[in-house]
Amino acid sequence: MTANHTDYSIRQAFDPATGSQMGSGELRENFHIGDLFNPDRINLIYTHYDRMIVGAAVPTTAALELETIKPTGTPGFLDRREMIAVNVGAKGSITVDGESHALDTRDMLYIGMGSKVTFASDEAGTPAKFYLLSAPAHQKYPTKLIRIGDAKRVDLGSQATSNERSIFQFIHADGAKTCQLVVGMTQLAPGSVWNTMPCHVHDRRMEAYLYFDLPETARVFHFMGEPDETRHIVMANEEAVISPPWSIHSGCGTSNYAFIWAMAGDNVDYTDVDAVPMETLR
C-alpha cells in the first residue's frame, strides 16, 4: 500500500504453536523484513505485536515528510504515537515541529507524541538512512537527541565465548523518558559472532532487531521460537526481524556485526527478562 512517498504493510500476530509449524518461507514472510531502505521512500511495517511499527526513511534527492498511514487511524502519524529514529547512514537531519536536529551515523532521536516530522540528508549522493521505530503513546515527552557517545555503554562477554560485545543503551529508565519504547545498539568485537546467548524471553514485551555493518557476503542466523522449539531465519545486511513476546531472540554470524534492538510493551525495565537455561534449548 502506498501514500505519496510512503509504502506500508501489515504483519499479523501468531501464537507459538502456529509459529512452530512454519517452514523457512513462512517464517520469512511473517517475521523477516527485507528491502527496508529504499531511496526517496519511507517504508513502514505495522505489526500486531504491541502495535509496533518498524520502518525506514531514506531522503536522497529531497526531504521526506512523515505521512500518516491507515493502520494508525489518526490524521497525523504521531497523533497517538511516539517514535525513535536511528541514523545508520551518512549525516542527515530530522526536523521536529520546526526545529532541526543533526544526526551523524549511529545517533538517535526520540520524538514525542503529536509531533510533525521531516527527514533530510546532508548530501544527496550519500544519504542518511533513518531506521524508524514507533509505538502507541499515552502522553507527550520532549524530543531528545542522544549521540552514540552519550549512550549508556555496557561491555559484556569475552573472546573465549565468541560474544565480546558493547551494548549502547539509548533509551533506558535513567535516561530519556518514553511511554514504552526501549532502544539500544549492540556492537560485536572482531572475532565475536554470538549475540544474546545465553538467551531469554520477555512475555511482557515484543522486540525487533536490525542487523547492520555486515559485509555483503556475510550472514547472521537469527534464532527465534520457544526455547524448546527453536527456529532460525537467515539475515543479510540492513535487514530486520520481528521477535514475538513468546520467542527467544539470539543470533550467530559469519562475521562480527552490529544490531539495533527495540522493545515495546508493558514496561521500560531493560532488565525485566526471563532467562533461558542453556540445557532447556531444543
Side-chain angles (χ1 to χ4, degrees), residues 80-95:
R80 295 180 59 84
R81 286 183 160 268
E82 60 185 358
M83 172 175 278
I84 286 172
V86 185
N87 186 12
V88 296
K91 292 182 179 181
S93 64
I94 303 176
T95 300

Side-chain angles (χ1 to χ4, degrees), residues 27-46:
L27 288 171
R28 293 182 70 83
E29 181 180 355
N30 289 287
F31 301 107
H32 173 266
I33 300 173
D35 295 324
L36 194 55
F37 297 92
N38 297 313
D40 294 315
R41 306 297 297 175
I42 294 177
N43 189 20
L44 303 169
I45 293 85
Y46 182 99

